[in-house]
Amino acid sequence: MIARNALPLLRAALLLACATLALRLSAADSPRMARSLDDDWRFKLGALPEATAPGYDDSSWQRVDVPHDYVLEGTFDQKPRFTYPGMPDGWHWLHGFLSIQPAVYRKALDIPAESKGKRLWLEFDGVFNNSRYWLNGKEIGAQYSGYTRSRFDITDTARFGAPNVLVVQVDPRYDGWWYEGGGIYRHVRLVTVEPVHLAPDGVFVAPSVADPGDGLNADAAIAVRTQVSNTSSASASVGVTSEILDAAGQVVGQAASVSELGIASCSNFVQSLPLARATLWSTQKPYLYRLRTTVKASGRVVDQVTTTFGVRHVRFDADRGLFLNGKPLKLQGVNMHQDHAGVGVAMPDRLFTWRLERLKEVGCNAIRLSHNPVTPFLLDECDRLGFLVIAENRHLGDTYIDQTPKETPAVEHRDLTSLVMRDRNHPSIILWSLCNEQWTQGTPEAAAMARAMKERVRELDPTRPTSAAMNGGFDSPVGFLGVLDVIGINYHPDVYDAVHALKPATPMVATEIASEIGTRGIYTTNQWETYYGDRERGYVCAYSITAGPGGQTVEQAWPAVTARDFIAGGFVWAAFDYKGESRPFEWPVVTSHYGFMDLCGFPKDSYYYYKAWWTNEPVLHLFPHWDWPGKEGQEIPVWVHSNCDEVELFLNGASLGKKTVTPLHHLEWKVRYAPGKLVAKGTRKGEHLETSRETTGEPAAIRLVADRSALAADNADLAVVNVEVIDAQGRTVPTAGNRITFSVEGPGKLIGVGNGDPSCHEPDKGPGRSAFNGLAQALVQTTHAPGEIVLRAESANLKSASVTLRSR
């Protein structure tokens, strides 16, 4: 008999075994090989042009694995250590007070002798930024964008059966107005294919559904366009077979085509596969199919790839919003950057999954990927977990300037093309956003650029509409409004009705809402200018009473979206805090306050506002904490976020009154402080709920809580370990700031620490971190070796704690 608590581990092991077997079978069927190059790079700060020479001695350099963000390893400074010609005013504080400078990566690369005669290319998913690449002393390419995938053919430069030296130089300049890090911060791989092969991004799967029926199953037509390249010295008779596999791996559709392919040529194969009673992909049931594409030349299999896709019916209605599979759906969305405490922009894959799981819990069903192409894994997880996505291009037109001048051409569409071709098979993506907040958005020049970009998108993907995030030009018929398929509005709920009246046939979506500012666990209500909190330390009170410039509080932003059927939904700025853009304070603040979760993913109080109105779960959230020594007898504002029908508040057993919940709004009492227990009792559809806040004792111990304990020994998997400072009764002390030191035993490594404090200048890389309002976080990553990993946490005068993880 298997113990009940062992079943989840057994299921995980079986799933891992099945996935490994599937990968082995795929590798056996296909001559294509994709080899990760993430491990074992050499790194050094500085421009170092001499380091491009193959024989350069890098033995003293730092050894790193990628993804890697080296800017995060620097020191917070009020003034920049390095400046650049043309560096805009305020750039340093907007980027989180971390100075940047050029750097170099080097890697020894062995390429087997049996690869000779095949095609080889290097793929970099993202390097920030202004990067140049050398192999064996020869420059093989460059890429300014920090977000576009780079691909370099090294067939004629590589040494087969001999050592190769790969060098990457980066120089992260000001490509934005928030912290964007620096370095090889996404995955790298070497791809090897036969001379006749599928072109990069050469498979496009476009499902269509005429009638979504019951919204669960419908007949579909799967249009497939496949591009095959012949780089051999002879023409070839090429056959392409496309097979649709369901979630169980059964073939449920198939088509085959044959064509003669000349020397140094490409050919497009166009096929259509009927799929009867297809299971539809949705946010609640994100069912995925796979398309297996097999290429044969002269009767021999020369290439094979598998592409994941989903079948769904998406329709934007100008009066009634979004319909998914024939059913109306309000987009309960968020914006987020790629940045987490401890690792910066170099987020391991598992951390993306962890964040998406937190968003599912709050009821989020959509993400705007602001303001750039993201790592491919994030989109894979949006497909798997059921998030709708607005995929966003970085710049308007052919430029790398944040605000595009009117005379900018829009001809090359280099980054836009890369974005659409790479990501067009993801069922999660429902909109292509051309750009964000351009000052020229109401002009005919900007409209001409947007029109050209829209035409390019339609050439590559005719199945999805285009949008752009506007923060002005709302009354201009010659600007973006006359071009976009779906109008995106950032903030400005005051213009929703006017824009709808001006463009009644064009759907609308609120691409950014709120920008509420708040610091987790801070309830000081001292006022300066239009803000409340602690100006000296740079904290803003967590009551929903403060928003950034042009923004609104949650209770101003979300109700304006829900009240209008013609608004397809809203995307909160933001889900998580992020480094940089530390408005309104500048120094000493080094991160933003915009998230309803902090940089570690710890919820702020506004998180529960969204959970109350985005989910059907009973929510009764009471705040603030109840530790206010020295304020006895003073009035404390007590708030409740709840979707109950009514809530009654008690202090030390005495009722302070019952209040009826107004939908989309909080409840509030003024309570004279007395130590003890504050209790909220709610009733929802006859169900009784209760929550409380207690005055805690002094910090006495540490508690560690890992999000998971069974990990993969792949040098990439990780556990998110939350750290709590607790009193003798096991209650989290909400004001604790104890310094905690970590140590790791076994085949694991501490890759980052954090606490969510926007003014903390302690390093993200190191053995310790102070708690902030009772909480901290440690990220523990596996190595290639299996075994037991133990994380220990210690602090002066506190009982220590440990947590055990197992790597397989």
Side-chain angles (χ1 to χ4, degrees):
M1 179 176 291
I2 300 174
R4 183 181 297 272
N5 60 5
L7 287 174
L9 291 177
L10 179 59
R11 292 192 191 102
L14 289 171
L15 286 171
L16 181 61
C18 291
T20 304
L21 178 60
L23 287 172
R24 288 174 179 166
L25 289 173
S26 177
D29 292 340
S30 176
R32 173 181 293 248
M33 295 185 64
R35 170 184 163 197
S36 172
L37 300 182
D38 286 354
D39 293 352
D40 199 20
W41 291 74
R42 299 297 184 271
F43 169 80
K44 190 171 181 62
L45 288 171
L48 304 172
E50 66 276 12
T52 62
Y56 182 86
D57 183 8
D58 59 16
S59 58
S60 63
W61 287 21
Q62 180 184 354
R63 180 176 175 175
V64 300
D65 297 331
V66 303
H68 177 238
D69 177 1
Y70 68 84
V71 175
L72 186 78
E73 298 171 351
T75 302
F76 294 104
D77 293 291
Q78 189 169 2
K79 295 185 181 298
R81 295 187 179 187
F82 304 95
T83 59
Y84 297 94
M87 182 171 159
D89 293 338
W91 176 84
H92 183 58
W93 75 263
L94 285 171
H95 284 69
F97 294 101
L98 285 167
S99 295
I100 64 170
Q101 58 180 309
V104 183
Y105 293 83
R106 287 172 55 92
K107 180 176 178 61
L109 178 61
D110 291 326
I111 299 177
E114 54 266 28
S115 295
K116 191 173 182 62
K118 299 184 179 182
R119 305 301 300 184
L120 291 82
W121 61 74
L122 295 168
E123 288 183 350
F124 292 80
D125 284 339
V127 180
F128 203 87
N129 73 322
N130 190 21
S131 52
R132 297 172 65 186
Y133 304 80
W134 286 263
L135 184 67
N136 301 326
K138 180 180 179 180
E139 187 165 6
I140 57 174
Q143 173 69 274
Y144 186 88
S145 172
Y147 299 105
T148 297
R149 174 185 284 174
S150 302
R151 184 181 287 111
F152 308 109
D153 192 311
I154 61 168
T155 306
D156 298 331
T157 312
R159 297 170 179 165
F160 297 93
N164 293 262
V165 178
L166 175 60
V167 180
V168 181
Q169 286 189 346
V170 297
D171 189 1
R173 298 181 186 271
Y174 35 91
D175 192 27
W177 56 94
W178 70 90
Y179 176 81
E180 298 182 271
I184 305 176
Y185 73 104
R186 293 180 182 169
H187 297 301
V188 186
R189 67 192 63 83
L190 173 66
V191 179
T192 306
V193 294
E194 294 286 335
V196 177
H197 56 268
L198 288 159
D201 302 320
V203 177
F204 178 32
V205 189
S208 61
V209 176
D211 180 1
D214 63 2
L216 301 174
N217 297 89
D219 294 340
I222 314 300
V224 180
R225 189 168 68 204
T226 308
Q227 186 178 57
V228 180
S229 296
N230 179 14
T231 60
S232 70
S233 58
S235 62
S237 177
V238 175
V240 172
T241 301
S242 298
E243 299 170 287
I244 298 174
L245 284 71
D246 64 13
Q250 299 298 310
V251 175
V252 292
Q254 183 172 317
S257 304
V258 179
S259 178
E260 191 70 20
L261 208 56
I263 301 171
S265 66
C266 289
S267 181
N268 287 310
F269 293 76
V270 179
Q271 300 166 326
S272 180
L273 292 76
L275 187 58
R277 298 289 296 164
T279 301
L280 300 182
W281 183 97
S282 69
T283 57
Q284 296 300 315
K285 186 180 179 182
Y287 189 94
L288 295 172
Y289 291 92
R290 290 175 294 150
L291 182 80
R292 183 166 59 200
T293 306
T294 305
V295 179
K296 289 186 177 182
S298 302
R300 181 175 67 91
V301 174
V302 292
D303 204 358
Q304 186 180 87
V305 299
T306 300
T307 306
T308 302
F309 71 96
V311 179
R312 78 285 189 279
H313 183 276
V314 177
R315 178 171 66 90
F316 283 91
D317 186 277
D319 293 317
R320 300 174 61 197
L322 175 73
F323 287 76
L324 178 63
N325 301 329
K327 311 293 184 183
L329 179 68
K330 204 76 166 181
L331 294 171
Q332 298 173 169
V334 299
N335 291 267
M336 65 181 187
H337 289 315
Q338 178 174 328
D339 181 10
H340 193 90
V343 293
V345 300
M347 289 174 54
D349 288 349
R350 169 59 197 169
L351 203 47
F352 286 108
T353 305
W354 183 87
R355 284 185 151 209
L356 292 177
E357 290 170 349
R358 304 290 80 73
L359 292 175
K360 273 289 182 183
E361 291 169 356
V362 80
C364 173
N365 62 19
I367 301 172
R368 174 174 170 238
L369 300 174
S370 44
H371 306 286
N372 47 262
V374 298
T375 185
F377 180 80
L378 176 55
L379 287 170
D380 292 339
E381 290 295 85
C382 288
D383 294 342
R384 184 180 68 86
L385 294 172
F387 288 91
L388 298 172
V389 168
I390 299 178
E392 191 155 88
N393 182 57
R394 180 55 181 238
H395 296 293
L396 176 67
D398 300 332
T399 184
Y400 288 103
I401 300 173
D402 291 325
Q403 290 299 322
T404 300
K406 287 185 176 181
E407 64 275 10
T408 302
V411 178
E412 296 180 1
H413 309 299
R414 178 181 173 185
D415 292 345
L416 177 65
T417 297
S418 176
L419 165 66
V420 176
M421 288 195 66
R422 190 196 72 172
D423 295 338
R424 59 190 174 176
N425 293 316
H426 289 282
S428 54
I429 296 177
I430 58 171
L431 271 176
W432 299 113
S433 175
L434 303 178
C435 60
N436 175 70
E437 293 187 354
Q438 292 294 304
W439 298 337
T440 60
Q441 57 208 321
T443 68
E445 291 86 353
M449 285 183 260
R451 190 173 291 109
M453 296 171 72
K454 176 180 172 179
E455 290 174 359
R456 180 55 176 157
V457 169
R458 284 184 172 169
E459 291 173 4
L460 300 170
D461 175 18
T463 70
R464 294 177 178 89
T466 58
S467 184
M470 300 177 62
N471 66 338
F474 301 121
D475 58 354
S476 172
V478 298
F480 278 3
L481 290 184
V483 178
L484 303 176
D485 299 316
V486 178
I487 296 169
I489 296 179
N490 284 6
Y491 312 109
H492 294 284
D494 53 298
V495 306
Y496 292 166
D497 296 328
V499 173
H500 183 54
L502 183 63
K503 302 293 293 183
T506 306
M508 293 169 53
V509 62
T511 37
E512 280 184 34
I513 64 172
S515 276
E516 182 177 289
I517 301 179
T519 308
R520 176 180 57 78
I522 297 296
Y523 302 101
T524 303
T525 55
N526 298 327
Q527 182 177 2
W528 74 98
E529 299 177 359
T530 59
Y531 304 101
Y532 300 84
D534 186 333
R535 176 65 187 93
E536 183 177 345
R537 294 189 295 169
Y539 300 149
V540 184
C541 74
Y543 298 115
S544 295
I545 55 177
T546 298
Q552 295 80 39
T553 65
V554 295
E555 292 181 58
Q556 296 167 336
W558 185 245
V561 173
T562 61
R564 293 165 172 83
D565 289 341
F566 64 83
I567 299 288
F571 291 78
V572 178
W573 193 272
F576 301 88
D577 286 347
Y578 50 91
K579 280 187 167 57
E581 211 168 19
S582 53
R583 295 185 179 96
F585 311 105
E586 302 183 21
W587 188 265
V589 184
V590 296
T591 75
S592 76
H593 298 69
Y594 290 123
F596 56 69
M597 287 179 275
D598 66 20
L599 196 60
C600 293
F602 294 125
K604 303 179 188 179
D605 296 296
S606 57
Y607 169 97
Y608 297 95
Y609 171 88
Y610 292 109
K611 186 169 185 177
W613 306 114
W614 281 4
T615 74
N616 291 319
E617 296 180 32
V619 174
L620 181 59
H621 176 68
L622 172 67
F623 62 103
H625 60 75
W626 209 237
D627 287 51
W628 300 102
K631 290 194 173 186
E632 288 76 8
Q634 297 182 30
E635 281 192 340
I636 303 292
V638 174
W639 283 33
V640 167
H641 286 316
S642 179
N643 53 14
C644 287
D645 301 318
E646 59 183 16
V647 176
E648 187 172 6
L649 188 68
F650 298 83
L651 177 60
N652 295 328
S655 175
L656 302 179
K658 182 183 295 184
K659 298 193 177 188
T660 300
V661 174
T662 300
L664 305 178
H665 293 277
H666 74 280
L667 298 177
E668 183 175 349
W669 290 259
K670 298 288 187 182
V671 180
R672 294 192 180 277
Y673 176 67
K677 189 172 184 178
L678 192 67
V679 178
K681 296 182 179 181
T683 303
R684 183 175 188 264
K685 299 177 182 178
E687 179 183 358
H688 297 283
L689 289 81
E690 182 174 318
T691 190
S692 64
R693 297 286 185 180
E694 293 185 66
T695 305
T696 64
E698 293 297 313
I702 301 168
R703 181 163 56 214
L704 300 180
V705 181
D707 72 309
R708 54 210 281 268
S709 59
L711 307 176
D714 58 1
N715 202 41
D717 201 5
L718 62 79
V720 178
V721 182
N722 289 338
V723 184
E724 303 171 21
V725 177
I726 58 177
D727 68 4
Q729 295 183 46
R731 301 169 298 193
T732 302
V733 181
T735 57
N738 304 66
R739 173 75 180 181
I740 299 167
T741 301
F742 302 101
S743 61
V744 176
E745 299 174 5
K749 49 195 173 183
L750 181 68
I751 63 168
V753 292
N755 59 15
D757 181 351
S759 297
C760 183
H761 298 166
E762 297 174 17
D764 285 69
K765 304 290 186 181
R769 188 75 164 193
S770 297
F772 177 59
N773 291 332
L775 303 175
Q777 189 175 84
L779 303 177
V780 180
Q781 193 170 54
T782 62
T783 66
H784 286 296
E788 192 171 87
I789 304 166
V790 178
L791 173 70
R792 301 188 187 279
E794 300 175 310
S795 182
N797 302 317
L798 299 182
K799 183 180 179 181
S800 61
S802 66
V803 64
T804 300
L805 314 170
R806 289 172 178 82
S807 172
R808 300 183 179 183

